[in-house]
Amino acid sequence: MSPPVPSKILTDDVSLLMVLIDSNPHFWSSIKPHFSFSKFLSHVLAFLNSILLLNQLNQVVVIATGINSCGYVFDSSSGSVSQRAESLLPKLEEFAENDESLSERDDDSGNGVGSSLLSGSLSMALCYIQRVFRSGPLHPQPRIICLHGSPDGPGQYVAIMNSIFSAQRSMVPIDSCVIGIQHSAFLQQASYITGGVYLKPQQLDGLFQYLATVFATDLHSRNFLQLPKPVGVDFRASCFCHKNTIDMGFICSVCLSIFCKHQKKCSTCGMLPNVCRSIFGQAQTRDPSASQQRK
Amino acid sequence: MANDPSSPVKLNVEFRTIKGHKFTKDGTKQALLNLTQDQGGNYIFEFENFPDRNVCKDFVASAIALSGEAGRTVPEKSAVPIQDEQLSAAEMERRIKLLQEDSDLQKLHKQFVIGGILSEAEFWATRKKLLEQNYSRRPKQRVALKNDMWSTKPLADGQSNRVTFNLTPEIILQIFAEKPAVRQAYLNFVPNKMTEKEFWTKYSRAEYLHSTKNVIAAAAEAAEDEELAVFLKQDDMLVNEARKKIRQVDPTLDMEADEGDDYMHLPIQDHGLPRNDNKDVLDSQYEPYRRSFSQHLNQHAAVVLQGRVIDVELGDTRSVAEALARTKHAELAKDASDVYLDKERLERISRMTEIEDLQAPRDPAVAPLSIKDPRDYFDSQQANAFSTLGDTVSGAKQLKCSVSTREAYCSLKECISEIKFQGLTEPTINSEVAFKVLNGLAQNISSNKYHLGRNPNESILDSLPKITREELLLHWSSIQELLKHFWSSYPITTKYLLTKATKLKDAMSQIYPKLQEIKESVQSDLRHQVSLLVQPMLQALDAAFAHYDADVQNRSARSGERPNGF
């Protein structure tokens, strides 16, 4: 009796790609003169199709990141035949409608571009990946790529850090391609911690070339390739009172918040150091170059 | 070789080769100092008088220590640098052991303490935890009592009618611990009424009688011999002890324990254990001579679990007995004087039997949490991120969005439908643009690789030659140590701190040019990395120097005022 033949033969280079597209309308209208959403979509669709062509078993899932909601707009493995990426367009339109209906009536924002819900779409991507992990021993290697442009929302800090850590735990790399004007501190850290690639393309009309060169490779081949990496990630602490970067400071022993001067009372947790509950000690926090010497 | 002042030969021996020194005692015929070499030769110096010789001897001792390793456990105390505090031998041993184990620590120690910059006390002041750890690692176990009840089993010699008992000091200790009556008897009888040997003979006889389980014979012998009777009867002292123990049981912990659990007062029905000779109905006069196995076992177990209560040498039986008696007395006295014990127990009982449902609601004994807005923390991180990536000014500008939400969504949807109807643009990307992008990427990657190395996790230190790396690490740890002591001596209030700060500053200024040298000595392609590494060290040293100079200036300004101002 011959052993049952597995229905899928998954080699090392099969990947499951979760693409998080930034659909923040404010951002896209502000960037309109340089780069339009339609051009962006055409680059991205061509990229997704080429991923699907690289290997028959590759899977692509696209999640749209709006300002009020996030949603799945494309799943290449749904349906009997692998679909082409263009089929995401109607769904994307639907998503935009839905997102609009969720926004408040009197929101005539003339003040800056709001942030999109990156934490939500990261969480959705990680949930999908978990489901794939539990589907059996044979599964493609997942990774996440964020095509993001909106500025980082400080309120999402904790949620994004949580999803970054869970991605690190599940060994899912988060690649970032930042199409906005500013760098994104969150995505920088995300890519650094999870072992992904962070890139801010200089020329947005060559976006497809960037995507195909840097982000199309599967995880196994990345061991043999040189991919661009940023010069450094700054992990230096900043004091809570003045937001300056400091090298030597004081730390509350209860909540570990950092201050540059001796404080009578910790402003974060409200503990008084003289009541023997939090003791201020001098701590020396070093920048990365010096921290390497501690080895 | 005799002393010949006119001889042109000078004796030049390195202290490194000298292993040890011996000397004649003060007051003997000659004042000699004998320096032994490690190859086997030795030099003998004769002195005019003893004080001179002693001075030389001290000098030689410290010189040998300096040139030898710090880890040598030389029993001569003079080999260690002079210290202000009295150290026990154990403490010295701990320090030496720690130095032997950790070579980095040893290097630091050699550099600073033997170099005279820091004193021993200061060096070890911050390392108390290390010393304690070492110390606590030593096992502190003691041997417990043997859990062997039958150690007094006699060896019956089959041929003659002799039975031999072996009594070692251990066994004697256990006997005294388990049977207070025997102990008391020993204290009373020996050496007044009988010798120790006789005592133990009697005791062994009693044991033998018990082991034969012949109660009637036991009663008969007891009637004849008064002393023997002591061993054969029930142990009253034990009975009292058991009763007391029961009374001390805390009802809040063990509600079931009561008088019935007093194992000494149980009827000899042995608490349910099957008995072999039910048919014997013995006279009540034989009752006291019966021994119960369960009682004996309980008592033995209690003694073993209690462990050793005395620390006396086991050789002298009498002292053992006395020590045990003393401890028992102390316990009794403590119990008697604990009048408040009962009262406290009653209070506790009443507290524990409170019914929770009937209590009034209590306020939560916690302080409310006040967690700060993460926004505040995050904003600063963002600024850091930009400055690291070297972003241009245009990046820091906030994007202005002048359209309303509805318009924004409209344009978004328009874009989507545009693509839907027109399809993807053909070609997707202009070939020139693509070429430019590829070139840019390739250049970026190759320059990064050149600067940062293959592996982002690889450190710059690994790419340096070994000597440079070791030097850098050594300098770093010495600077840390010096700075620690330097900053801790401010504000300067005493002269001692002033001299200490000056010494530290001098040591630091010696290291400073060494760092510069390292920077220059390294190959040109690594020079930038090394200077990045060295930079924070130099900055820290500069900060320390600046502080020192400012302080000196203040000090001189203040002392300059005084003669004028009074």
Side-chain angles (χ1 to χ4, degrees), chain A residues 93 99 107 229 234 243 268, chain B residues 370 376 388 405 409 420 448:
Chain A
E93 227 173 351
D99 205 37
D107 190 34
K229 26 180 191 271
D234 189 2
K243 316 283 186 289
T268 315
Chain B
S370 80
D376 292 341
T388 312
T405 316
Y409 274 109
K420 248 188 359 182
N448 267 355

Side-chain angles (χ1 to χ4, degrees), chain A residues 33-49:
Chain A
H34 312 283
F35 195 51
S36 75
F37 191 56
S38 47
K39 274 207 217 128
F40 169 73
L41 274 181
S42 62
H43 285 275
V44 170
L45 290 176
F47 171 64
L48 295 179
N49 279 331

